[in-house]
Amino acid sequence: MEYMAEAAERSPGHILCCECGVPISPNPANICVACLRSKVDISQGIPKQVSVSFCKQCQRYFQPPGTWIQCALESRELLALCLKKIKAPLSKVMNGAILQQVFVVDYVVQPQMCGDCHRVEAKDFWKTVVQVRQKTLHKKTFYYLEQLILKYGMHQNTLRIKEIHDGLDFYYSSKQHAQKMVEFLQCTVPCRYKASQRLISQDIHSNTYNYKSTFSVEIVPICKDNVVCLSPKLAQSLGNMNQICVCIRVTSAIHLIDPNTLQVADIDGSTFWSQPFNSLCHPKQLEEFIVMDCSIVRDLKRSAGAGMISKKHTLGEVWVQKTSEMNTDKQYFCRTHLGHLLNPGDLVLGFDLANCNLNDEHVNKMNSDRVPDVVLIKKSYDRTKRQRRRNWKLKELPRERENMDRDDERQYQDFLEDLEEDEAIRKNVNVYRDSTIPVESDTDDEGAPRISLAEMLEDLHISQDATGEEGDSMMT
């Protein structure tokens, strides 16, 4: 009777545990979970502490057998990496029963430098080098290129960057990264390149070879504010513009303007190398003139086959005199594209072609009356005052360089002034707020085209609350 009553109390489909007699659902072991856990430890053989190798330099984790991967904390990739570290044979428990058990595994992160970072620290290991050169005295194009490299992060895969007299050397551990840099340079500046390689070692048994590759990139030898003389054939192909032109900008192409007609033209790298031309004067030959008289040319007539006319410039006819010849009555007449900026009494920088020895094959073949006496380049302002009021700054590439001399500092200041004056260049550059300079009035007593923080942010269509790296406020 007792057995029948006890069986009646159990619900149908249940059995008694063979150890403790508790009613349970049928399972292959016929034992309750509590008794099964007391007899079997399925975590036996599984390590309770596992080490994970982490490279502090590149922020990557080691994944056996020889891969380093980048994983964020609490990410799915890091969880998968940790689970692969647990290696223990899981056998069935007592007649094939499946048992779940919770236990804690501690992961210890151990610092270990990866092979790539070892090579970087060695500073003498590289597979490919990209040598960027420009045969010119001014570095404006290089300063602009440096900002583009920083903006798009093209320097992140370099082992080191070395600055030399006429260019930069970028060292890489793989040829693919160097090829990406060369492709980037071809898209940003007019240039050409040559590739070469040198055999370092070889294994005749496995038929493997070790090469070091070199990409020699040459940028066109023309910078902003250079005066150039085009060949007659090239000038005719550009809309019958005059041969004497001024370079107003160098981006992915050379942007020229004719100071006599305001005609503009763009010359890409392939066109330049097929019909090359040189700069007539270098920046050190710039002379200061004072404007004696200036009149605006209203009716600008164009010939039938003329090209595009610049709408950002105004054609003016001016009489100027050298500030070094104020004790004489000698004056020069010229046409200029700076008619909207010049007034009598202003100072302007330009090249004196009349008293300059021009050693150029295209100029020597021109009629003397076609060569202007003076070519005006830009208006002159008080540089000290502009530097004092400049409350923004640029970042630089981490490179090996010598101390910047006085000429390099002057060229860098010229580039900063170009950013303030040229919106087309400024929109491609990341500009950061300089917290060391107090914010002053946006107006300039001399009327200099100094761009303020608010104006620059407005031109670039971004917010003043954008934050850059290293705690600096990024402006674009």
Side-chain angles (χ1 to χ4, degrees):
M1 294 295 295
E2 293 179 359
Y3 174 77
M4 295 297 294
E6 185 178 351
E9 292 177 358
R10 298 196 308 266
S11 58
H14 284 62
I15 62 174
L16 296 177
C17 176
C18 63
E19 294 290 336
C20 62
V22 176
I24 61 173
S25 299
N27 58 66
N30 294 329
I31 303 177
C32 65
V33 176
C35 296
L36 189 60
R37 286 179 176 173
S38 62
K39 287 190 172 185
V40 180
D41 183 13
I42 63 173
S43 65
Q44 185 177 3
I46 300 178
K48 302 301 186 296
Q49 189 176 34
V50 181
S51 61
V52 179
S53 300
F54 176 72
C55 180
K56 293 182 179 180
Q57 277 74 10
C58 60
Q59 303 292 314
R60 294 189 299 176
Y61 294 90
F62 178 68
Q63 182 178 11
T67 308
W68 291 83
I69 61 175
Q70 197 162 11
C71 305
L73 294 177
E74 301 183 1
S75 64
R76 182 177 300 178
E77 293 78 9
L78 184 58
L79 177 61
L81 176 65
C82 294
L83 291 178
K84 289 180 181 179
K85 284 282 187 177
I86 302 177
K87 294 182 179 180
L90 297 178
S91 60
K92 294 184 179 180
V93 179
M94 297 184 64
N95 301 326
I98 299 176
L99 181 65
Q100 295 181 355
Q101 181 178 347
V102 179
F103 61 96
V104 179
V105 178
D106 295 329
Y107 289 88
V108 179
V109 179
Q110 295 182 348
Q112 179 182 349
M113 187 176 293
C114 65
D116 295 337
C117 293
H118 264 296
R119 299 184 185 98
V120 174
E121 292 297 325
K123 294 184 178 180
D124 59 353
F125 178 84
W126 55 272
K127 285 291 187 67
T128 310
V129 58
V130 178
Q131 300 175 342
V132 186
R133 301 289 185 268
Q134 187 183 27
K135 299 177 181 178
T136 182
L137 296 178
H138 208 289
K139 299 181 179 180
K140 285 186 178 181
T141 306
F142 267 107
Y143 290 137
Y144 175 69
L145 180 60
E146 177 185 14
Q147 297 305 316
L148 293 181
I149 293 175
L150 287 170
K151 180 176 182 179
Y152 295 103
M154 297 303 298
H155 64 293
Q156 295 179 353
N157 295 321
T158 57
L159 297 178
R160 65 188 178 115
I161 303 174
K162 183 178 180 180
E163 180 180 357
I164 61 175
H165 177 66
D166 57 348
L168 295 171
D169 290 344
F170 299 87
Y171 293 89
Y172 295 90
S173 60
S174 66
K175 189 175 182 180
Q176 290 75 15
H177 292 156
Q179 289 175 337
K180 289 182 180 179
M181 171 59 82
V182 173
E183 294 174 358
F184 174 79
L185 294 176
Q186 289 181 304
C187 296
T188 52
V189 291
C191 61
R192 62 179 178 180
Y193 77 96
K194 293 182 180 179
S196 62
Q197 60 183 7
R198 179 166 57 96
L199 180 63
I200 303 301
S201 62
Q202 63 176 342
D203 188 354
I204 59 176
H205 300 288
S206 60
N207 198 25
T208 57
Y209 301 88
N210 182 21
Y211 290 98
K212 279 192 174 183
S213 303
T214 301
F215 291 92
S216 299
V217 182
E218 182 181 0
I219 304 176
V220 294
I222 304 298
C223 285
K224 185 180 183 298
D225 297 337
N226 283 164
V227 177
V228 300
C229 182
L230 308 178
S231 64
K233 182 179 178 181
L234 180 58
Q236 184 179 6
S237 64
L238 297 176
N240 293 324
M241 65 187 308
N242 292 326
Q243 292 181 245
I244 303 296
C245 299
V246 178
C247 178
I248 57 175
R249 193 181 303 113
V250 177
T251 55
S252 58
I254 304 174
H255 304 268
L256 302 177
I257 186 171
D258 183 359
N260 290 314
T261 61
L262 298 186
Q263 185 175 340
V264 292
D266 297 340
I267 300 177
D268 56 10
S270 59
T271 304
F272 175 84
W273 298 117
S274 61
Q275 304 181 62
F277 51 87
N278 298 317
S279 174
L280 299 182
C281 306
H282 55 79
K284 293 183 179 180
Q285 293 178 292
L286 278 173
E287 299 188 55
E288 191 176 56
F289 296 85
I290 184 171
V291 179
M292 308 304 294
D293 187 23
C294 179
S295 59
I296 303 299
V297 179
R298 301 295 180 183
D299 52 343
L300 186 61
K301 298 181 180 180
R302 294 184 296 174
S303 58
M308 296 182 59
I309 301 299
S310 174
K311 297 181 180 179
K312 295 183 178 181
H313 300 84
T314 302
L315 185 63
E317 295 180 344
V318 297
W319 284 91
V320 294
Q321 185 177 9
K322 290 184 181 180
T323 55
S324 60
E325 299 178 353
M326 294 299 294
N327 55 347
T328 65
D329 297 333
K330 189 175 182 180
Q331 296 184 5
Y332 302 91
F333 173 81
C334 65
R335 278 193 167 192
T336 179
H337 59 290
L338 306 176
H340 58 297
L341 297 176
L342 301 182
N343 296 299
D346 289 342
L347 297 179
V348 61
L349 298 178
F351 293 108
D352 182 9
L353 302 184
N355 302 314
C356 181
N357 184 15
L358 300 177
N359 187 13
D360 185 85
E361 58 176 345
H362 302 313
V363 176
N364 295 336
K365 296 178 182 179
M366 293 179 59
N367 296 329
S368 58
D369 57 346
R370 302 279 295 178
V371 180
D373 294 336
V374 173
V375 177
L376 301 182
I377 301 299
K378 59 183 178 180
K379 189 176 179 180
S380 179
Y381 302 101
D382 187 354
R383 169 167 290 181
T384 304
K385 185 176 296 185
R386 297 184 71 175
Q387 294 180 12
R388 186 173 63 251
R389 294 186 176 184
R390 186 177 294 130
N391 51 8
W392 54 272
K393 61 181 180 179
L394 302 176
K395 291 188 176 181
E396 298 182 359
L397 284 174
R399 60 184 181 269
E400 301 175 7
R401 62 183 303 177
E402 300 178 354
N403 295 330
M404 182 179 293
D405 56 16
R406 183 175 300 178
D407 187 57
D408 292 339
E409 179 64 25
R410 180 186 59 81
Q411 295 182 14
Y412 186 70
Q413 294 299 326
D414 288 342
F415 174 69
L416 297 182
E417 293 175 1
D418 292 341
L419 289 181
E420 293 177 337
E421 299 169 2
D422 195 341
E423 180 184 353
I425 298 179
R426 188 170 64 246
K427 68 180 181 181
N428 298 327
V429 176
N430 285 349
V431 183
Y432 299 86
R433 180 178 289 107
D434 190 355
S435 58
T436 61
I437 306 298
V439 179
E440 299 183 1
S441 174
D442 294 341
T443 60
D444 197 313
D445 297 337
E446 297 185 356
R450 183 183 62 84
I451 188 74
S452 65
L453 284 172
E455 291 173 342
M456 188 173 290
L457 294 171
E458 183 179 356
D459 291 342
L460 300 172
H461 307 289
I462 61 174
S463 172
Q464 295 191 28
D465 297 330
T467 304
E469 301 174 357
E470 303 177 0
D472 296 330
S473 180
M474 191 175 71
M475 299 173 58
T476 178

